[in-house]
Amino acid sequence: MSTSPFFNQSYKPESRLYEEIIIEQIKAFGTDVYYLPRKLVREDKLFGEDILSEFNDAYIIEMYFENESIGAGEADALSKFGLELRSEAKFQISRLRFEQLISLDQNLISSTRPNEGDLIYFPSKTKLFEITFVEDEDFERLHNIPVFTLTCKLFEYSNEALDTGIAEIDLIEDTRSTNTIDLYDFLLEDGSGELFLENGFNMMQEEYSIDDIDKGSINEWLQGESDGIIDFTDSNPFGEI
Amino acid sequence: MLGADPYYHEILKRTVIGFGSMFNEIYLIRKDKVGDIKQKMKIPLSYGPKEKFLARLREDPNLSKSVAISLPRIGFELGSFSYEPTRKLNKINIVKIPKAGDTKGVSKQFSPVPYNVSFELFVMVKNSDDGIQIIEQILPTFSPSYTMTIKDSSELKNSQDVPIVLDSVSYEDSYEGDFATRRAIVYTLSFTASVQLYGPVTSQGIIKKVDTSMYADVPVNSPNRKQTYSVEPDPVTATENDDFGFTDSWSNWEDA
């Protein structure tokens, strides 16, 4: 049996209607999230990575998340590195809405679709997800593919700069970054520069405490404990602050 | 059988602390394209094994942690113990020091027992460049060992040099596979620390009687005692500040 002659699959208005219905569904049953495009700052061609990625923009957009719970995926676990959250999520985003709101961002590597490596901030759960895989609908209805499905995992934070202007997103960097430069530097009185030590490193303010920033670490506790029991007359091999 | 008085010199705990403290001030720097340092960060370090409830309550008390984990970070843990016979000292050697607060006694301890203690250090990073930067800072310190001096908590306040040998370095990068699987870059460094474990500290009072036995035909396998000479203070209750003399006596043994 051939396809129905009463429906013209390449007829644009019908295709458009179908897409509008999808968008309406997402607006009705979805949730507002922030889409953060990744800005590559220093791409390493050898290792295929970027160690200084920044996220300077945040676009609020509606998405539908497929999981019954945002905490789907593997259970949170304790590893030899401490607590590791393993939440996963699947979001659906309208192709048209992506084109309208996000595709013009200069930092997108591919402007025609959401990019793997970009972030999605889910405000109601205060979770920051990284897009690990983007797929389009496998069924091409009316010559139109109206949504992308984004497979996401909770972001592994590695001191990426988050300067989006959205306070709750930027707070993640403020509370989790262990970067000392700018945040804990001793600045000159006129703000024109920093104070440097003889070894070339920046002088840091006393309040820099890795144990306070990273609740799972015991760097400074170990230093305090070892002072009384380790005879480091030769010096700590890796120096001191 | 092992002794009535419990003792704990914290040698192993202090070795763990000492081992960890070697790695508590490792920094990572990231430079931009022109070579200016843009980020400088201390690498968080923690001991791996811990109570699960404490880990969750400390690291995610309000269930509002926004990210999966912060990287890079270093973990370490104590491994196995094995006896090391080549470092064994004469087992009847005794160390003695004056007993604290008691001028009439000494504290003594037998020779320690040598054990090798293994440690593993894990480095987890998000970027390959971060990983090799951290490893490159650690490896040159161990050629293949680094020795640190650890004081124990016993009354004798022993200090021992503990060589820590870097045995091996392995590396795992799970970059292959489907896109839904997270990539993990983990370096594993295996170390062996050579420690000396001390037994209990015992007390000994002032020696107030000395017996000297004399033998004939010493080359004989089991020579018989001929005479015994004994000396003790007079009176036997005298202390070092009293006016006292000595009582000596000879005993002859006719069973020779």
mmCIF file of all heavy atoms in Angstrom, chain A residues 49 81 126-128 153-160 179-180 214 218-219 223 229 231 238-240, chain B residues 14 22 24-25 30 39-40 43 45 65-66 68-69 71 73 126 128-129 137 149 151 180 182:
data_model
loop_
_atom_site.group_PDB
_atom_site.id
_atom_site.type_symbol
_atom_site.label_atom_id
_atom_site.label_comp_id
_atom_site.label_asym_id
_atom_site.label_seq_id
_atom_site.Cartn_x
_atom_site.Cartn_y
_atom_site.Cartn_z
ATOM 1 N N GLU A 49 41.891 18.249 23.189
ATOM 2 C CA GLU A 49 41.158 18.727 24.363
ATOM 3 C C GLU A 49 41.372 20.232 24.501
ATOM 4 O O GLU A 49 42.209 20.813 23.790
ATOM 5 C CB GLU A 49 41.658 18.005 25.628
ATOM 6 C CG GLU A 49 43.126 18.277 25.930
ATOM 7 C CD GLU A 49 43.709 17.336 26.974
ATOM 8 O OE1 GLU A 49 43.102 16.286 27.234
ATOM 9 O OE2 GLU A 49 44.781 17.661 27.504
ATOM 10 N N PHE A 81 38.220 8.684 45.037
ATOM 11 C CA PHE A 81 38.391 10.131 44.938
ATOM 12 C C PHE A 81 37.309 10.886 45.708
ATOM 13 O O PHE A 81 37.229 12.096 45.632
ATOM 14 C CB PHE A 81 38.372 10.556 43.466
ATOM 15 C CG PHE A 81 39.467 9.914 42.665
ATOM 16 C CD1 PHE A 81 39.207 8.842 41.847
ATOM 17 C CD2 PHE A 81 40.769 10.371 42.758
ATOM 18 C CE1 PHE A 81 40.211 8.234 41.119
ATOM 19 C CE2 PHE A 81 41.781 9.764 42.039
ATOM 20 C CZ PHE A 81 41.504 8.690 41.230
ATOM 21 N N THR A 126 19.278 22.622 40.557
ATOM 22 C CA THR A 126 20.638 23.178 40.665
ATOM 23 C C THR A 126 21.691 22.194 40.172
ATOM 24 O O THR A 126 22.726 22.002 40.812
ATOM 25 C CB THR A 126 20.958 23.623 42.103
ATOM 26 O OG1 THR A 126 21.023 22.470 42.951
ATOM 27 C CG2 THR A 126 19.943 24.600 42.637
ATOM 28 N N LYS A 127 21.419 21.566 39.045
ATOM 29 C CA LYS A 127 22.363 20.613 38.475
ATOM 30 C C LYS A 127 22.918 21.140 37.145
ATOM 31 O O LYS A 127 22.168 21.714 36.349
ATOM 32 C CB LYS A 127 21.697 19.258 38.225
ATOM 33 C CG LYS A 127 21.113 18.601 39.467
ATOM 34 C CD LYS A 127 22.173 18.186 40.444
ATOM 35 C CE LYS A 127 21.563 17.478 41.649
ATOM 36 N NZ LYS A 127 22.503 17.343 42.762
ATOM 37 N N LEU A 128 24.187 20.896 36.952
ATOM 38 C CA LEU A 128 24.842 21.322 35.718
ATOM 39 C C LEU A 128 25.201 20.076 34.916
ATOM 40 O O LEU A 128 26.020 19.268 35.352
ATOM 41 C CB LEU A 128 26.096 22.135 36.055
ATOM 42 C CG LEU A 128 26.786 22.850 34.909
ATOM 43 C CD1 LEU A 128 25.862 23.895 34.270
ATOM 44 C CD2 LEU A 128 28.067 23.523 35.390
ATOM 45 N N LYS A 153 25.168 14.030 31.009
ATOM 46 C CA LYS A 153 25.669 13.535 32.288
ATOM 47 C C LYS A 153 26.037 14.730 33.147
ATOM 48 O O LYS A 153 26.375 15.798 32.616
ATOM 49 C CB LYS A 153 26.910 12.661 32.076
ATOM 50 C CG LYS A 153 26.597 11.275 31.541
ATOM 51 C CD LYS A 153 27.857 10.450 31.430
ATOM 52 C CE LYS A 153 27.566 9.053 30.921
ATOM 53 N NZ LYS A 153 26.746 8.257 31.831
ATOM 54 N N LEU A 154 25.969 14.521 34.435
ATOM 55 C CA LEU A 154 26.350 15.605 35.336
ATOM 56 C C LEU A 154 27.795 16.018 35.022
ATOM 57 O O LEU A 154 28.657 15.168 34.767
ATOM 58 C CB LEU A 154 26.227 15.127 36.784
ATOM 59 C CG LEU A 154 25.779 16.162 37.807
ATOM 60 C CD1 LEU A 154 24.493 16.848 37.391
ATOM 61 C CD2 LEU A 154 25.589 15.498 39.156
ATOM 62 N N PHE A 155 28.031 17.291 35.045
ATOM 63 C CA PHE A 155 29.302 17.858 34.585
ATOM 64 C C PHE A 155 30.435 17.514 35.549
ATOM 65 O O PHE A 155 30.274 17.599 36.773
ATOM 66 C CB PHE A 155 29.139 19.371 34.479
ATOM 67 C CG PHE A 155 30.302 20.091 33.881
ATOM 68 C CD1 PHE A 155 30.906 19.641 32.723
ATOM 69 C CD2 PHE A 155 30.786 21.257 34.469
ATOM 70 C CE1 PHE A 155 31.973 20.333 32.163
ATOM 71 C CE2 PHE A 155 31.842 21.953 33.921
ATOM 72 C CZ PHE A 155 32.444 21.493 32.766
ATOM 73 N N GLU A 156 31.574 17.137 35.007
ATOM 74 C CA GLU A 156 32.797 16.988 35.810
ATOM 75 C C GLU A 156 33.508 18.333 35.761
ATOM 76 O O GLU A 156 34.035 18.715 34.717
ATOM 77 C CB GLU A 156 33.688 15.886 35.228
ATOM 78 C CG GLU A 156 33.157 14.492 35.476
ATOM 79 C CD GLU A 156 34.096 13.429 34.934
ATOM 80 O OE1 GLU A 156 34.951 13.760 34.083
ATOM 81 O OE2 GLU A 156 33.969 12.275 35.336
ATOM 82 N N TYR A 157 33.515 19.018 36.882
ATOM 83 C CA TYR A 157 34.060 20.372 36.896
ATOM 84 C C TYR A 157 35.579 20.355 37.057
ATOM 85 O O TYR A 157 36.112 19.690 37.940
ATOM 86 C CB TYR A 157 33.431 21.178 38.044
ATOM 87 C CG TYR A 157 33.889 22.605 38.061
ATOM 88 C CD1 TYR A 157 33.482 23.483 37.075
ATOM 89 C CD2 TYR A 157 34.752 23.068 39.043
ATOM 90 C CE1 TYR A 157 33.916 24.800 37.061
ATOM 91 C CE2 TYR A 157 35.194 24.375 39.047
ATOM 92 C CZ TYR A 157 34.763 25.243 38.053
ATOM 93 O OH TYR A 157 35.209 26.533 38.051
ATOM 94 N N SER A 158 36.239 21.082 36.174
ATOM 95 C CA SER A 158 37.706 21.139 36.239
ATOM 96 C C SER A 158 38.184 22.568 36.066
ATOM 97 O O SER A 158 38.971 22.884 35.184
ATOM 98 C CB SER A 158 38.310 20.221 35.169
ATOM 99 O OG SER A 158 39.710 20.162 35.287
ATOM 100 N N ASN A 159 37.664 23.433 36.910
ATOM 101 C CA ASN A 159 38.062 24.841 36.947
ATOM 102 C C ASN A 159 37.725 25.608 35.668
ATOM 103 O O ASN A 159 38.414 26.557 35.320
ATOM 104 C CB ASN A 159 39.552 24.970 37.266
ATOM 105 C CG ASN A 159 39.840 24.655 38.709
ATOM 106 O OD1 ASN A 159 39.603 25.453 39.610
ATOM 107 N ND2 ASN A 159 40.317 23.448 38.957
ATOM 108 N N GLU A 160 36.679 25.184 34.993
ATOM 109 C CA GLU A 160 36.235 25.958 33.837
ATOM 110 C C GLU A 160 35.644 27.283 34.316
ATOM 111 O O GLU A 160 35.001 27.338 35.368
ATOM 112 C CB GLU A 160 35.166 25.179 33.049
ATOM 113 C CG GLU A 160 35.692 23.995 32.256
ATOM 114 C CD GLU A 160 35.790 22.722 33.076
ATOM 115 O OE1 GLU A 160 35.574 22.792 34.310
ATOM 116 O OE2 GLU A 160 36.079 21.655 32.507
ATOM 117 N N ASN A 179 41.265 27.546 41.512
ATOM 118 C CA ASN A 179 42.214 28.441 40.864
ATOM 119 C C ASN A 179 42.534 29.607 41.790
ATOM 120 O O ASN A 179 41.640 30.263 42.304
ATOM 121 C CB ASN A 179 41.614 28.949 39.546
ATOM 122 C CG ASN A 179 42.561 29.859 38.809
ATOM 123 O OD1 ASN A 179 43.775 29.790 39.012
ATOM 124 N ND2 ASN A 179 42.027 30.713 37.961
ATOM 125 N N THR A 180 43.802 29.850 41.997
ATOM 126 C CA THR A 180 44.203 30.916 42.918
ATOM 127 C C THR A 180 44.348 32.252 42.216
ATOM 128 O O THR A 180 44.236 33.306 42.842
ATOM 129 C CB THR A 180 45.549 30.569 43.582
ATOM 130 O OG1 THR A 180 46.547 30.477 42.562
ATOM 131 C CG2 THR A 180 45.460 29.259 44.322
ATOM 132 N N ASP A 214 37.155 22.543 48.667
ATOM 133 C CA ASP A 214 36.829 21.168 48.289
ATOM 134 C C ASP A 214 36.613 20.362 49.575
ATOM 135 O O ASP A 214 37.580 20.003 50.250
ATOM 136 C CB ASP A 214 37.983 20.583 47.454
ATOM 137 C CG ASP A 214 37.607 19.256 46.837
ATOM 138 O OD1 ASP A 214 37.280 18.311 47.593
ATOM 139 O OD2 ASP A 214 37.629 19.143 45.609
ATOM 140 N N ILE A 218 41.840 16.859 52.153
ATOM 141 C CA ILE A 218 42.434 16.976 53.493
ATOM 142 C C ILE A 218 43.862 17.513 53.390
ATOM 143 O O ILE A 218 44.698 17.233 54.244
ATOM 144 C CB ILE A 218 42.436 15.617 54.235
ATOM 145 C CG1 ILE A 218 43.141 14.526 53.402
ATOM 146 C CG2 ILE A 218 41.029 15.183 54.590
ATOM 147 C CD1 ILE A 218 43.403 13.247 54.175
ATOM 148 N N ASN A 219 44.123 18.304 52.347
ATOM 149 C CA ASN A 219 45.499 18.797 52.148
ATOM 150 C C ASN A 219 46.028 19.519 53.371
ATOM 151 O O ASN A 219 47.134 19.231 53.859
ATOM 152 C CB ASN A 219 45.538 19.752 50.962
ATOM 153 C CG ASN A 219 45.177 19.087 49.662
ATOM 154 O OD1 ASN A 219 44.124 18.475 49.550
ATOM 155 N ND2 ASN A 219 46.047 19.167 48.679
ATOM 156 N N GLN A 223 48.817 18.631 56.388
ATOM 157 C CA GLN A 223 49.971 19.480 56.664
ATOM 158 C C GLN A 223 50.094 19.711 58.161
ATOM 159 O O GLN A 223 51.177 19.607 58.738
ATOM 160 C CB GLN A 223 49.829 20.809 55.930
ATOM 161 C CG GLN A 223 51.054 21.702 56.027
ATOM 162 C CD GLN A 223 52.263 21.090 55.351
ATOM 163 O OE1 GLN A 223 52.195 20.661 54.211
ATOM 164 N NE2 GLN A 223 53.370 21.009 56.074
ATOM 165 N N ILE A 229 54.893 15.157 63.364
ATOM 166 C CA ILE A 229 55.393 13.777 63.327
ATOM 167 C C ILE A 229 56.384 13.507 62.208
ATOM 168 O O ILE A 229 57.076 12.504 62.223
ATOM 169 C CB ILE A 229 54.223 12.774 63.189
ATOM 170 C CG1 ILE A 229 53.422 13.046 61.939
ATOM 171 C CG2 ILE A 229 53.331 12.824 64.392
ATOM 172 C CD1 ILE A 229 52.304 12.042 61.730
ATOM 173 N N ASP A 231 59.726 14.678 60.270
ATOM 174 C CA ASP A 231 60.894 15.534 60.379
ATOM 175 C C ASP A 231 61.275 15.963 58.967
ATOM 176 O O ASP A 231 62.036 15.286 58.290
ATOM 177 C CB ASP A 231 62.034 14.760 61.054
ATOM 178 C CG ASP A 231 63.210 15.668 61.334
ATOM 179 O OD1 ASP A 231 63.136 16.854 60.967
ATOM 180 O OD2 ASP A 231 64.204 15.192 61.914
ATOM 181 N N PHE A 238 57.724 18.912 47.497
ATOM 182 C CA PHE A 238 56.927 19.671 46.543
ATOM 183 C C PHE A 238 56.695 21.107 47.019
ATOM 184 O O PHE A 238 55.789 21.780 46.571
ATOM 185 C CB PHE A 238 55.598 18.958 46.284
ATOM 186 C CG PHE A 238 55.809 17.597 45.697
ATOM 187 C CD1 PHE A 238 55.543 16.458 46.420
ATOM 188 C CD2 PHE A 238 56.335 17.462 44.424
ATOM 189 C CE1 PHE A 238 55.760 15.212 45.887
ATOM 190 C CE2 PHE A 238 56.552 16.212 43.874
ATOM 191 C CZ PHE A 238 56.269 15.083 44.606
ATOM 192 N N GLY A 239 57.538 21.558 47.976
ATOM 193 C CA GLY A 239 57.501 22.953 48.365
ATOM 194 C C GLY A 239 56.343 23.307 49.268
ATOM 195 O O GLY A 239 55.566 22.460 49.674
ATOM 196 N N GLU A 240 56.270 24.574 49.569
ATOM 197 C CA GLU A 240 55.211 25.050 50.449
ATOM 198 C C GLU A 240 54.513 26.204 49.782
ATOM 199 O O GLU A 240 54.941 26.726 48.766
ATOM 200 C CB GLU A 240 55.814 25.509 51.783
ATOM 201 C CG GLU A 240 56.453 24.368 52.559
ATOM 202 C CD GLU A 240 57.075 24.835 53.846
ATOM 203 O OE1 GLU A 240 57.193 26.048 54.043
ATOM 204 O OE2 GLU A 240 57.451 23.975 54.637
ATOM 205 N N ARG B 14 50.989 7.175 61.352
ATOM 206 C CA ARG B 14 51.877 8.288 61.034
ATOM 207 C C ARG B 14 52.558 8.094 59.682
ATOM 208 O O ARG B 14 52.861 9.057 58.991
ATOM 209 C CB ARG B 14 52.914 8.459 62.153
ATOM 210 C CG ARG B 14 52.276 9.011 63.405
ATOM 211 C CD ARG B 14 53.204 9.036 64.588
ATOM 212 N NE ARG B 14 52.501 9.574 65.747
ATOM 213 C CZ ARG B 14 52.981 10.521 66.541
ATOM 214 N NH1 ARG B 14 54.186 10.997 66.333
ATOM 215 N NH2 ARG B 14 52.279 10.969 67.549
ATOM 216 N N MET B 22 53.238 14.133 51.591
ATOM 217 C CA MET B 22 54.191 14.412 50.510
ATOM 218 C C MET B 22 53.492 14.992 49.287
ATOM 219 O O MET B 22 54.099 15.667 48.475
ATOM 220 C CB MET B 22 54.915 13.125 50.098
ATOM 221 C CG MET B 22 55.935 12.663 51.095
ATOM 222 S SD MET B 22 57.088 11.534 50.333
ATOM 223 C CE MET B 22 55.995 10.256 49.803
ATOM 224 N N ASN B 24 50.509 16.814 49.317
ATOM 225 C CA ASN B 24 49.419 17.745 49.635
ATOM 226 C C ASN B 24 49.654 19.148 49.103
ATOM 227 O O ASN B 24 48.824 20.020 49.303
ATOM 228 C CB ASN B 24 49.167 17.783 51.151
ATOM 229 C CG ASN B 24 50.234 18.535 51.884
ATOM 230 O OD1 ASN B 24 51.373 18.613 51.424
ATOM 231 N ND2 ASN B 24 49.903 19.099 53.022
ATOM 232 N N GLU B 25 50.780 19.364 48.459
ATOM 233 C CA GLU B 25 51.005 20.700 47.912
ATOM 234 C C GLU B 25 51.457 20.631 46.466
ATOM 235 O O GLU B 25 52.399 21.306 46.059
ATOM 236 C CB GLU B 25 52.009 21.456 48.774
ATOM 237 C CG GLU B 25 51.440 21.817 50.125
ATOM 238 C CD GLU B 25 52.290 22.798 50.891
ATOM 239 O OE1 GLU B 25 53.303 23.263 50.325
ATOM 240 O OE2 GLU B 25 51.949 23.094 52.035
ATOM 241 N N ARG B 30 47.861 26.166 34.235
ATOM 242 C CA ARG B 30 47.377 26.141 32.857
ATOM 243 C C ARG B 30 47.735 27.463 32.195
ATOM 244 O O ARG B 30 47.466 28.526 32.768
ATOM 245 C CB ARG B 30 45.858 25.920 32.833
ATOM 246 C CG ARG B 30 45.455 24.523 33.291
ATOM 247 C CD ARG B 30 43.958 24.402 33.395
ATOM 248 N NE ARG B 30 43.553 23.041 33.741
ATOM 249 C CZ ARG B 30 42.343 22.721 34.193
ATOM 250 N NH1 ARG B 30 41.420 23.651 34.336
ATOM 251 N NH2 ARG B 30 42.046 21.474 34.488
ATOM 252 N N GLN B 39 45.722 29.861 35.042
ATOM 253 C CA GLN B 39 45.170 29.176 36.211
ATOM 254 C C GLN B 39 46.302 28.503 36.980
ATOM 255 O O GLN B 39 47.217 27.935 36.373
ATOM 256 C CB GLN B 39 44.139 28.118 35.801
ATOM 257 C CG GLN B 39 42.870 28.680 35.200
ATOM 258 C CD GLN B 39 41.848 27.605 34.884
ATOM 259 O OE1 GLN B 39 42.123 26.412 34.927
ATOM 260 N NE2 GLN B 39 40.637 28.031 34.550
ATOM 261 N N LYS B 40 46.210 28.593 38.271
ATOM 262 C CA LYS B 40 47.150 27.869 39.136
ATOM 263 C C LYS B 40 46.324 27.310 40.286
ATOM 264 O O LYS B 40 45.650 28.059 40.996
ATOM 265 C CB LYS B 40 48.219 28.808 39.676
ATOM 266 C CG LYS B 40 49.194 28.134 40.619
ATOM 267 C CD LYS B 40 50.019 29.155 41.372
ATOM 268 C CE LYS B 40 50.722 28.502 42.533
ATOM 269 N NZ LYS B 40 51.161 29.494 43.527
ATOM 270 N N ILE B 43 46.053 20.770 43.981
ATOM 271 C CA ILE B 43 45.280 19.566 43.679
ATOM 272 C C ILE B 43 44.696 19.010 44.974
ATOM 273 O O ILE B 43 45.444 18.682 45.894
ATOM 274 C CB ILE B 43 46.162 18.477 43.027
ATOM 275 C CG1 ILE B 43 47.036 19.070 41.916
ATOM 276 C CG2 ILE B 43 45.296 17.341 42.499
ATOM 277 C CD1 ILE B 43 46.270 19.602 40.751
ATOM 278 N N LEU B 45 43.509 16.550 47.721
ATOM 279 C CA LEU B 45 44.035 15.237 48.077
ATOM 280 C C LEU B 45 43.172 14.651 49.186
ATOM 281 O O LEU B 45 42.753 15.359 50.105
ATOM 282 C CB LEU B 45 45.483 15.402 48.577
ATOM 283 C CG LEU B 45 46.160 14.206 49.226
ATOM 284 C CD1 LEU B 45 46.522 13.174 48.161
ATOM 285 C CD2 LEU B 45 47.421 14.652 49.960
ATOM 286 N N LYS B 65 24.592 19.479 45.361
ATOM 287 C CA LYS B 65 25.853 19.527 44.624
ATOM 288 C C LYS B 65 25.547 19.611 43.131
ATOM 289 O O LYS B 65 24.809 18.781 42.597
ATOM 290 C CB LYS B 65 26.683 18.278 44.949
ATOM 291 C CG LYS B 65 28.109 18.344 44.449
ATOM 292 C CD LYS B 65 28.895 17.095 44.880
ATOM 293 C CE LYS B 65 30.304 17.128 44.330
ATOM 294 N NZ LYS B 65 31.038 15.896 44.646
ATOM 295 N N SER B 66 26.113 20.597 42.470
ATOM 296 C CA SER B 66 25.741 20.879 41.081
ATOM 297 C C SER B 66 26.482 20.033 40.073
ATOM 298 O O SER B 66 26.028 19.875 38.942
ATOM 299 C CB SER B 66 26.012 22.353 40.775
ATOM 300 O OG SER B 66 25.374 23.172 41.693
ATOM 301 N N ALA B 68 29.256 16.603 39.053
ATOM 302 C CA ALA B 68 29.510 15.210 39.420
ATOM 303 C C ALA B 68 30.683 15.093 40.380
ATOM 304 O O ALA B 68 30.627 14.407 41.401
ATOM 305 C CB ALA B 68 29.773 14.393 38.161
ATOM 306 N N ILE B 69 31.765 15.761 40.039
ATOM 307 C CA ILE B 69 33.000 15.687 40.817
ATOM 308 C C ILE B 69 33.884 16.828 40.347
ATOM 309 O O ILE B 69 33.722 17.309 39.226
ATOM 310 C CB ILE B 69 33.694 14.309 40.612
ATOM 311 C CG1 ILE B 69 34.809 14.079 41.619
ATOM 312 C CG2 ILE B 69 34.205 14.153 39.188
ATOM 313 C CD1 ILE B 69 35.360 12.647 41.603
ATOM 314 N N LEU B 71 37.609 17.999 39.381
ATOM 315 C CA LEU B 71 38.882 17.427 38.947
ATOM 316 C C LEU B 71 39.862 18.554 38.650
ATOM 317 O O LEU B 71 39.430 19.667 38.360
ATOM 318 C CB LEU B 71 38.681 16.565 37.700
ATOM 319 C CG LEU B 71 37.751 15.355 37.857
ATOM 320 C CD1 LEU B 71 37.565 14.676 36.510
ATOM 321 C CD2 LEU B 71 38.303 14.376 38.878
ATOM 322 N N ARG B 73 42.040 15.582 40.955
ATOM 323 C CA ARG B 73 42.167 15.291 42.368
ATOM 324 C C ARG B 73 43.024 14.034 42.563
ATOM 325 O O ARG B 73 43.196 13.229 41.642
ATOM 326 C CB ARG B 73 40.825 15.157 43.048
ATOM 327 C CG ARG B 73 39.907 14.121 42.520
ATOM 328 C CD ARG B 73 38.492 14.296 43.069
ATOM 329 N NE ARG B 73 38.469 14.503 44.513
ATOM 330 C CZ ARG B 73 38.086 15.654 45.079
ATOM 331 N NH1 ARG B 73 37.683 16.656 44.346
ATOM 332 N NH2 ARG B 73 38.085 15.790 46.391
ATOM 333 N N LYS B 126 40.820 15.430 34.182
ATOM 334 C CA LYS B 126 39.871 15.523 33.079
ATOM 335 C C LYS B 126 40.606 15.659 31.754
ATOM 336 O O LYS B 126 40.115 15.249 30.713
ATOM 337 C CB LYS B 126 38.952 16.725 33.309
ATOM 338 C CG LYS B 126 37.799 16.825 32.346
ATOM 339 C CD LYS B 126 36.844 17.907 32.798
ATOM 340 C CE LYS B 126 35.676 18.032 31.855
ATOM 341 N NZ LYS B 126 34.734 19.069 32.312
ATOM 342 N N SER B 128 44.293 15.214 29.502
ATOM 343 C CA SER B 128 45.566 14.489 29.442
ATOM 344 C C SER B 128 46.728 15.378 29.863
ATOM 345 O O SER B 128 47.657 14.944 30.542
ATOM 346 C CB SER B 128 45.813 13.983 28.022
ATOM 347 O OG SER B 128 44.817 13.071 27.648
ATOM 348 N N ASP B 129 46.672 16.635 29.447
ATOM 349 C CA ASP B 129 47.772 17.548 29.762
ATOM 350 C C ASP B 129 47.892 17.761 31.273
ATOM 351 O O ASP B 129 49.000 17.846 31.801
ATOM 352 C CB ASP B 129 47.540 18.881 29.052
ATOM 353 C CG ASP B 129 48.789 19.737 29.041
ATOM 354 O OD1 ASP B 129 49.777 19.316 28.413
ATOM 355 O OD2 ASP B 129 48.792 20.808 29.685
ATOM 356 N N GLN B 137 55.637 16.026 37.901
ATOM 357 C CA GLN B 137 56.132 16.645 39.138
ATOM 358 C C GLN B 137 56.450 15.610 40.208
ATOM 359 O O GLN B 137 57.256 15.853 41.091
ATOM 360 C CB GLN B 137 55.081 17.613 39.690
ATOM 361 C CG GLN B 137 54.875 18.843 38.841
ATOM 362 C CD GLN B 137 53.828 19.758 39.465
ATOM 363 O OE1 GLN B 137 54.066 20.373 40.492
ATOM 364 N NE2 GLN B 137 52.669 19.838 38.839
ATOM 365 N N THR B 149 61.564 11.083 57.526
ATOM 366 C CA THR B 149 61.805 10.688 58.911
ATOM 367 C C THR B 149 60.517 10.843 59.708
ATOM 368 O O THR B 149 59.924 11.908 59.734
ATOM 369 C CB THR B 149 62.909 11.566 59.530
ATOM 370 O OG1 THR B 149 64.066 11.470 58.701
ATOM 371 C CG2 THR B 149 63.257 11.100 60.930
ATOM 372 N N LYS B 151 58.496 10.278 63.379
ATOM 373 C CA LYS B 151 58.614 10.077 64.826
ATOM 374 C C LYS B 151 57.409 9.272 65.287
ATOM 375 O O LYS B 151 56.281 9.586 64.886
ATOM 376 C CB LYS B 151 58.611 11.424 65.546
ATOM 377 C CG LYS B 151 59.607 12.434 65.042
ATOM 378 C CD LYS B 151 59.290 13.791 65.665
ATOM 379 C CE LYS B 151 60.015 14.900 64.931
ATOM 380 N NZ LYS B 151 59.538 16.232 65.335
ATOM 381 N N ALA B 180 27.832 7.858 25.463
ATOM 382 C CA ALA B 180 27.147 7.977 26.749
ATOM 383 C C ALA B 180 28.065 7.609 27.912
ATOM 384 O O ALA B 180 27.785 7.944 29.054
ATOM 385 C CB ALA B 180 25.915 7.083 26.769
ATOM 386 N N ARG B 182 31.220 7.925 30.178
ATOM 387 C CA ARG B 182 32.112 9.016 30.535
ATOM 388 C C ARG B 182 33.575 8.601 30.384
ATOM 389 O O ARG B 182 33.931 7.461 30.692
ATOM 390 C CB ARG B 182 31.860 9.412 31.986
ATOM 391 C CG ARG B 182 32.314 10.790 32.352
ATOM 392 C CD ARG B 182 32.272 10.967 33.853
ATOM 393 N NE ARG B 182 30.936 10.982 34.425
ATOM 394 C CZ ARG B 182 30.148 12.049 34.460
ATOM 395 N NH1 ARG B 182 30.544 13.174 33.936
ATOM 396 N NH2 ARG B 182 28.972 11.994 35.039
#
